[in-house]
């Protein structure tokens, strides 16, 4: 089994909702280097034990509880958790709480088909990435001043919002409900180290010369940074 390569011009169905045996996922933002996917994992289901041979992955938890496991150890996942998964590291995530586990998966370099499954409770070992899809509602939008970038401003269930913001804007106008700010900079893609900022309690200052993808849950009650 070989890991596939996404064809940017023809695999347009990836902009729809992708049903999974454990729930579903959808693309929130994409450009030539970064790919953001939202995962909705029903309890007590889990993803396969799988590996991305080429890309680094960050898992950001928006809601729910779960456990992410590798071949040797496991890590509890809860609201605000950030995990970095190196290329070639096998991993699986299980939803363990009373509500679905909702994650954002940040991937670089972009290639949704960079996937090999080692174990799976749904008989998908050796199978490529799913081709089934369903309409996500409104189509993704082009991002102004960012060539080849597309964004889904709001999730299909309308609970999560995504926006591209400058570091200057993030520093002075952190909004109620902001959970993560992910830098969309070339250095992160090249070095595979992405310095993700969290909400108003994060003491780190955003780089004013960097553009960020802001991930917001409007129903959350954190106070914005002064």
């Amino acid at each position: 089994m070989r890991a596939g390569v996404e064809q940017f011009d023809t695999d347009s169905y990836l902009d729809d909702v992708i049903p999974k045996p454990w729930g579903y996922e959808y693309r929130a933002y994409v450009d030539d280097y970064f790919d953001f996917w939202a995962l909705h994992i029903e309890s007590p289901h889990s993803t396969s034990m799988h590996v991305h041979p080429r890309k680094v992955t960050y898992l950001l938890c928006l809601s729910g509880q779960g456990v992410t496991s590798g071949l040797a150890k496991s890590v509890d996942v809860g609201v605000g958790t950030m995990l970095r998964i190196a290329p070639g590291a096998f991993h699986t995530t299980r939803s363990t709480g009373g509500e679905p586990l909702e994650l954002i998966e940040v991937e670089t370099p972009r290639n949704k088909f960079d996937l090999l499954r080692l174990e799976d409770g749904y008989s998908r070992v050796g199978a490529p990435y799913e081709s089934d899809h369903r309409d996500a509602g409104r189509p993704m939008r082009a991002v102004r001043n960012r060539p080849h970038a597309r964004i889904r401003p709001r999730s299909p269930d309308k609970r999560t919002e995504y926006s591209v913001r400058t570091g200057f804007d993030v520093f002075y106008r952190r909004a109620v409900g902001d959970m993560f700010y992910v830098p969309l900079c070339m250095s992160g893609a090249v070095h595979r180290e992405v310095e993700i900022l969290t909400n108003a309690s994060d003491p780190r200052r955003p780089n004013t010369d960097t553009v960020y993808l802001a991930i917001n849950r409007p129903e959350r009650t954190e106070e914005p940074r002064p």
Side-chain angles (χ1 to χ4, degrees):
M1 179 66 184
R2 296 177 61 192
V5 178
E6 180 183 343
Q7 303 300 313
F8 295 174
D9 296 329
T10 59
D11 291 320
S12 58
Y13 79 92
L14 294 174
D15 286 354
D16 291 337
V17 172
I18 308 298
K20 295 279 192 171
W22 41 257
Y24 64 87
E25 66 182 15
Y26 65 88
R27 175 175 268 163
Y29 171 90
V30 66
D31 59 28
D32 286 336
Y33 305 100
F34 288 93
D35 206 2
F36 287 68
W37 286 79
L39 281 61
H40 179 101
I41 307 173
E42 296 285 350
S43 185
H45 295 280
S46 66
T47 67
S48 63
M49 176 66 77
H50 63 278
V51 65
H52 307 298
R54 308 181 185 105
K55 64 190 177 187
V56 64
T57 301
Y58 288 83
L59 292 180
L60 316 178
C61 184
L62 302 183
S63 66
Q65 294 180 322
V67 176
T68 294
S69 302
L71 298 178
K73 66 178 182 179
S74 298
V75 178
D76 291 335
V77 174
V79 177
T81 297
M82 294 190 296
L83 298 178
R84 181 185 185 275
I85 301 171
F90 282 93
H91 59 284
T92 178
T93 300
R94 177 177 296 277
S95 177
T96 60
E99 61 177 326
L101 177 63
E102 296 187 304
L103 305 170
I104 297 295
E105 193 172 65
V106 182
E107 304 171 350
T108 186
R110 169 188 172 184
N111 181 9
K112 194 57 182 173
F113 299 152
D114 182 34
L115 169 71
L116 296 173
R117 296 184 175 108
L118 177 66
E119 299 174 355
D120 183 58
Y122 312 102
S123 302
R124 298 176 300 165
V125 173
Y129 185 76
E130 287 82 355
S131 58
D132 291 342
H133 57 102
R134 66 172 187 260
D135 187 13
R138 295 183 178 181
M140 297 183 73
R141 301 177 185 174
V143 180
R144 185 178 181 183
N145 298 326
R146 293 194 67 81
H148 312 126
R150 302 189 304 280
I151 192 170
R152 187 175 307 285
R154 181 173 292 183
S155 63
D157 64 7
K158 298 181 171 56
R159 296 182 61 203
T160 309
E161 296 178 352
Y162 308 96
S163 59
V164 174
R165 297 168 58 185
T166 66
F168 186 88
D169 185 59
V170 168
F171 179 75
Y172 285 104
R173 296 198 306 165
R174 294 195 181 185
V176 173
D178 281 353
M179 294 191 69
F180 298 100
Y181 308 98
V182 184
L184 304 174
C185 55
M186 181 65 71
S187 62
V190 170
H191 299 294
R192 301 190 181 190
E193 291 289 345
V194 183
E195 187 178 15
I196 299 171
L197 306 180
T198 59
N199 59 19
S201 63
D202 195 326
R204 295 172 296 172
R205 296 182 57 171
N207 187 335
T208 56
D209 295 329
T210 296
V211 172
Y212 292 82
L213 185 81
I215 302 168
N216 181 283
R217 297 298 292 265
E219 75 273 15
R220 292 179 64 82
T221 58
E222 290 94 348
E223 291 298 321
R225 181 175 178 172

